[in-house]
Amino acid sequence: MTAEKFALESADLFATDTEAARQKRRASVDAPLLAAVRGEKPSRRPMWMMRQAGRSLPEYREVRANVPMLDACFDDERVAEITMQPVRRHDADAAILFSDIVVPLKAAGVDLDIVPGRGPVVAQPVQTMEAIAQLPTVEREQLANIEKGIGHVLEELRDDQVLIGFAGAPFTVASYLVEGGPSKNHEVTKSLMYSQPETWHALMRALTPTIVRFLQAQIEAGVDAVQLFDSWAGYLTSRDYREFVAPYSHAIFEAIRPYEIPMIHFGVGTGELLGDMAVAGPDVVGVDWRVPMDSAAARIRAALDHHRPDAKPEDKIKALQGNLDPAVLFAGDDVIAAHVKRIAAEADRAIDRGQAKGHIFNLGHGVLPTTDPDAITRAFEEVHKS
Amino acid sequence: MTAEKFALESADLFATDTEAARQKRRASVDAPLLAAVRGEKPSRRPMWMMRQAGRSLPEYREVRANVPMLDACFDDERVAEITMQPVRRHDADAAILFSDIVVPLKAAGVDLDIVPGRGPVVAQPVQTMEAIAQLPTVEREQLANIEKGIGHVLEELRDDQVLIGFAGAPFTVASYLVEGGPSKNHEVTKSLMYSQPETWHALMRALTPTIVRFLQAQIEAGVDAVQLFDSWAGYLTSRDYREFVAPYSHAIFEAIRPYEIPMIHFGVGTGELLGDMAVAGPDVVGVDWRVPMDSAAARIRAALDHHRPDAKPEDKIKALQGNLDPAVLFAGDDVIAAHVKRIAAEADRAIDRGQAKGHIFNLGHGVLPTTDPDAITRAFEEVHKS
């Protein structure tokens, strides 16, 4: 099975219930984030921050005190409380489901843990066809508590606020499995990819259904949008991304597309990959802080033009998400305001030029744990004024 | 004093003795690396690897056993032995001086150490005008042992092999001083840069003469080329790089230019900065593995065209260095050979198109410590056949 041929043939794996999912969703069609994705003028510039639910907030540290990360991820009350904390505090336009990219693997029974100060650690690294054959595919009932947590969040969110579901993309999930934990250079992963491509593709094929099911569970529980995080994609060249990664991320977007909810795709340090990630099929491309929003839009438009020369003009552009450097939140109100203005102007320029549909303000990476929560609140205020 | 106005006015700080430096240099003008930089056809494709002298080699681990990093850097015999080890083993076309970017600060008396498994740690982080005023400028006699080590290396190198001197660029050196040690996100550094630009510029001004003197000492001791490492530059946007960093790197290149030796400039993850780094003034731009060599050449050419529209065509291109992903060295001989061929072809295409002068083969980042030294040797063989 080569990458080119990959598709989720086993449609019966995925009992897509788009109508049930639609009935659970509570956000108004006019919610700023949804309007921005459609390319309409939102009532205010929508904003959320990656890792907005997390260690920057004292109320988060309180809820997590003595509770291991994965325990919190499977506790519906804690999931809801942590997800809502930043929305209440900062008046965010979106909640991002509190979870982790290894949650569906853990749910499926893979022996792994999240070690404080280190990250996800896998008991038995997965590097052979035999180990891949033994990887379980997650079952919907193993995700029941996450669906329950989503239900609690939906009860509290205003209807102009959306809940964003969450999954790690197969490359990033695979990297943890192959390396056995976080890696600085991903050399074991890349070595497997380069020297045993059939094994690599088998691993990606094995992970894709679990990621699809994890997203489906969230969507059918009522999330209004999803973000597929490919945290480590920026360690790949465009060539490798297209050969070893894109077919599977694409298959995930295709599996989720029938739900007709916004699909966001993000990775760190992906300046070289923005076009490829757009071609993979999301509605919104998240942009790292290193690339100005108007440059990002131009790269995406050029890639879609190249890959879909016959598409309608509106199908050759995406909405953009980003891209304040999280370090700017340490530099005081005036600096934050100046950067917010610049980014808003860069995004608006892309929209005015017809190279982007709309703009969801976000960071260009996650909130750093030592960030002052008041600085975050003021950044939200600045964006909502912009 | 703003960045735009910055120049090394205190020329008397730098007793440039270009004639003495010339007399010490032993490499033949036909050495492959020197020919490639000039844009002539070298007798073979020149190659060295960043971190070729280091933990990948058992003979290195032996010399370093129970010897702290900074002790080794100031021990002329060890400096020479460690510098030569990979040249002997892999038949490299260049030796890179064994040193560290904090060596000139240590020599000048700054209280810092290199902590195994962590990196350089500074006793008193430098974050105020007062602390900057107290930063010493290195004196030549404080670098005597490094010059002595260079002398030993020159006795052993063949005349078709060159010795490359080494310094950290002011931004990367400043980051260690401001953060007090290695940083994942450089938020303290960026916060200082954004919120107190005068303090930032004062720090860069204070560091620049020490870096110039460190390079001058090496050049006057006989090195044939220098590399200015801006390891962390890739964490900056192009806008910030130009405002806060480029003027000082440029001043260093201008101070070194009278020696008429190749000056190489490299940083990791610098796809967005390649043009800016070329404009700063080196002869050779090192390219991270994420950007194909021909794309890198086109970006550099476009930037030089923009910034020096009236320059002669040959002054609008640079030699390129790079850019094998260090992870490829883990993937076996066939994979290594395929990637070497691809990179050589991409670089040759840039040269044929008149967008690059020549090609020095290297990694796109440093050798990883767990790399098999035999795989490194075979990569050198492949490049020399290409």
Side-chain angles (χ1 to χ4, degrees):
Chain A
M1 172 65 65
T2 67
E4 294 70 27
K5 290 188 199 152
F6 183 72
L8 288 166
E9 299 97 345
S10 317
D12 56 321
L13 261 180
F14 310 112
T16 308
D17 190 345
T18 55
E19 193 41 45
R22 199 182 316 274
Q23 282 174 14
K24 289 255 183 68
R25 295 205 295 273
R26 303 204 168 181
S28 152
V29 292
D30 297 327
L33 188 140
L34 301 179
V37 174
R38 287 194 306 268
E40 294 161 19
K41 194 164 170 52
S43 57
R44 67 181 187 185
R45 193 180 302 266
M47 176 174 189
W48 66 284
M49 286 189 188
M50 292 182 282
R51 288 198 195 283
Q52 64 186 12
R55 279 183 286 165
S56 63
L57 303 185
E59 59 268 34
Y60 170 84
R61 296 194 296 269
E62 199 174 301
V63 174
R64 277 290 315 285
N66 304 313
V67 181
M69 176 69 182
L70 281 173
D71 288 3
C73 289
F74 283 97
D75 173 342
D76 59 293
E77 297 285 352
R78 281 202 173 79
V79 165
E81 170 59 21
I82 293 171
T83 299
M84 283 307 302
Q85 285 172 344
V87 181
R88 293 181 204 131
R89 189 190 259 263
H90 306 306
D91 188 22
D93 298 286
I96 175 83
L97 183 69
F98 175 71
S99 191
D100 188 273
I101 65 162
V102 297
V103 159
L105 295 176
K106 181 74 179 178
V110 176
D111 186 3
L112 58 83
D113 199 8
I114 298 180
V115 178
R118 186 162 171 225
V121 175
V122 181
Q124 299 292 333
V126 177
Q127 303 171 336
T128 62
M129 283 290 193
E130 293 67 39
I132 293 165
Q134 284 167 30
L135 272 178
T137 298
V138 77
E139 301 292 338
R140 280 292 284 279
E141 54 270 28
Q142 294 169 321
L143 299 167
N145 270 18
I146 285 138
E147 297 182 38
K148 220 166 141 190
I150 290 170
H152 304 324
V153 173
L154 293 177
E155 282 169 27
E156 188 176 339
L157 277 179
R158 296 196 313 255
D159 72 356
D160 60 340
Q161 295 169 324
V162 301
L163 174 58
I164 302 176
F166 169 100
F171 168 69
T172 295
V173 175
S175 170
Y176 285 105
L177 287 175
V178 175
E179 305 274 348
S183 167
K184 224 172 121 183
N185 297 292
H186 307 276
E187 64 268 34
V188 186
T189 308
K190 288 182 181 176
S191 169
L192 178 72
M193 185 185 269
Y194 291 141
S195 62
Q196 301 176 55
E198 289 301 309
T199 307
W200 173 260
H201 287 298
L203 175 58
M204 296 294 271
R205 261 187 82 71
L207 290 174
T208 299
T210 283
I211 295 167
V212 169
R213 276 205 181 140
F214 185 46
L215 289 171
Q216 285 183 315
Q218 296 174 51
I219 297 167
E220 295 188 13
V223 304
D224 305 288
V226 291
Q227 175 154 318
L228 189 68
F229 279 90
D230 213 350
S231 314
W232 304 135
Y235 282 83
L236 295 172
T237 62
S238 169
R239 172 185 300 101
D240 292 339
Y241 178 83
R242 288 197 299 260
E243 179 172 351
F244 296 113
V245 175
Y248 308 98
S249 297
H250 176 68
I252 292 168
F253 289 123
E254 290 309 304
I256 298 305
R257 198 176 306 284
Y259 292 108
E260 297 182 342
I261 62 168
M263 302 185 291
I264 311 169
H265 199 19
F266 174 76
V268 182
T270 47
E272 307 297 325
L273 303 182
L274 288 169
D276 300 315
M277 292 177 78
V279 169
D283 304 294
V284 183
V285 177
V287 183
D288 173 281
W289 81 85
R290 292 167 175 89
V291 185
M293 294 302 259
D294 44 350
S295 303
R299 292 180 203 182
I300 290 166
R301 172 65 203 255
L304 291 169
D305 243 348
H306 180 75
H307 286 271
R308 301 186 194 156
D310 302 326
K312 287 178 287 184
E314 65 267 31
D315 293 334
K316 291 183 181 176
I317 62 177
K318 302 283 180 185
L320 299 179
Q321 179 175 283
N323 73 347
L324 184 70
D325 186 339
V328 168
L329 295 173
F330 292 77
D333 292 357
D334 294 347
V335 174
I336 292 172
H339 280 261
V340 164
K341 275 198 192 72
R342 171 182 59 77
I343 291 166
E346 287 165 355
D348 289 348
R349 197 177 309 140
I351 295 167
D352 293 344
R353 286 179 186 159
Q355 295 193 325
K357 282 194 176 161
H359 180 211
I360 302 167
F361 204 102
N362 204 316
L363 300 184
H365 195 168
V367 174
L368 298 172
T370 53
T371 310
D372 172 10
D374 291 339
I376 299 176
T377 301
R378 287 192 296 273
F380 272 90
E381 290 166 358
E382 280 299 328
V383 170
H384 286 149
K385 284 193 290 181
S386 75
Chain B
M1 172 65 65
T2 65
E4 294 70 27
K5 290 187 198 154
F6 182 72
L8 288 167
E9 299 95 346
S10 317
D12 57 321
L13 261 180
F14 310 113
T16 308
D17 191 343
T18 55
E19 194 41 43
R22 201 181 316 273
Q23 283 174 14
K24 289 255 183 68
R25 294 204 295 273
R26 303 205 168 179
S28 152
V29 292
D30 298 326
L33 187 142
L34 300 179
V37 174
R38 288 193 306 268
E40 293 161 18
K41 193 163 171 51
S43 58
R44 67 180 187 184
R45 193 180 302 265
M47 176 175 188
W48 65 285
M49 286 189 188
M50 294 182 281
R51 289 198 195 282
Q52 65 186 12
R55 280 182 284 164
S56 63
L57 303 185
E59 59 267 35
Y60 170 84
R61 296 193 297 268
E62 198 174 303
V63 174
R64 277 290 315 284
N66 304 313
V67 180
M69 176 69 182
L70 281 172
D71 288 3
C73 289
F74 283 97
D75 173 342
D76 59 295
E77 298 285 352
R78 281 202 173 78
V79 165
E81 171 59 20
I82 293 172
T83 299
M84 283 307 301
Q85 284 172 347
V87 181
R88 293 181 205 130
R89 187 190 261 263
H90 307 305
D91 188 23
D93 299 285
I96 175 81
L97 184 69
F98 175 71
S99 191
D100 187 274
I101 65 162
V102 298
V103 159
L105 296 175
K106 181 74 179 179
V110 176
D111 186 2
L112 58 82
D113 199 6
I114 298 180
V115 178
R118 187 163 169 221
V121 175
V122 181
Q124 299 291 335
V126 176
Q127 303 173 336
T128 62
M129 283 290 193
E130 294 66 38
I132 293 165
Q134 283 167 30
L135 271 179
T137 298
V138 77
E139 301 292 339
R140 281 290 284 277
E141 53 271 28
Q142 294 168 320
L143 299 166
N145 270 18
I146 285 137
E147 298 182 37
K148 221 166 140 192
I150 290 169
H152 304 323
V153 173
L154 294 176
E155 282 169 26
E156 189 175 339
L157 278 179
R158 296 195 313 255
D159 72 356
D160 61 339
Q161 295 168 324
V162 301
L163 175 57
I164 302 176
F166 170 101
F171 168 69
T172 295
V173 176
S175 171
Y176 285 104
L177 287 174
V178 174
E179 305 274 347
S183 166
K184 224 172 121 183
N185 296 291
H186 307 276
E187 63 267 35
V188 186
T189 308
K190 288 183 181 176
S191 170
L192 179 73
M193 184 185 270
Y194 292 141
S195 62
Q196 301 176 54
E198 289 303 309
T199 308
W200 173 260
H201 286 297
L203 174 59
M204 296 294 271
R205 260 188 83 70
L207 291 174
T208 299
T210 284
I211 294 166
V212 168
R213 276 206 182 140
F214 184 47
L215 289 172
Q216 285 184 315
Q218 296 173 51
I219 297 167
E220 295 188 12
V223 304
D224 305 288
V226 291
Q227 175 154 319
L228 190 67
F229 279 91
D230 213 349
S231 314
W232 304 136
Y235 282 83
L236 296 172
T237 62
S238 168
R239 170 185 300 101
D240 293 339
Y241 179 84
R242 289 197 298 260
E243 179 172 350
F244 296 114
V245 175
Y248 308 98
S249 297
H250 176 68
I252 292 167
F253 289 123
E254 290 309 303
I256 299 305
R257 198 175 308 284
Y259 291 108
E260 298 181 343
I261 62 168
M263 303 185 291
I264 311 169
H265 199 18
F266 174 76
V268 181
T270 48
E272 307 297 324
L273 303 182
L274 287 168
D276 300 315
M277 292 177 79
V279 169
D283 304 295
V284 184
V285 177
V287 182
D288 172 281
W289 82 85
R290 292 169 176 89
V291 184
M293 294 303 259
D294 44 351
S295 303
R299 292 180 203 182
I300 290 166
R301 172 65 202 255
L304 291 169
D305 243 349
H306 180 76
H307 285 271
R308 301 185 194 157
D310 302 327
K312 288 177 286 184
E314 65 267 30
D315 293 336
K316 291 184 183 177
I317 61 176
K318 302 283 180 187
L320 299 179
Q321 179 175 282
N323 71 346
L324 184 70
D325 186 338
V328 168
L329 295 173
F330 292 76
D333 292 358
D334 293 348
V335 174
I336 292 171
H339 280 260
V340 164
K341 276 198 191 73
R342 171 182 59 78
I343 291 166
E346 287 165 354
D348 288 348
R349 197 178 307 141
I351 295 167
D352 292 345
R353 285 180 185 158
Q355 296 194 323
K357 281 194 176 161
H359 180 211
I360 302 167
F361 205 102
N362 204 316
L363 300 185
H365 194 170
V367 174
L368 299 172
T370 52
T371 311
D372 171 11
D374 291 339
I376 300 176
T377 302
R378 287 192 295 273
F380 272 90
E381 290 167 357
E382 280 299 328
V383 170
H384 287 148
K385 284 193 290 181
S386 74

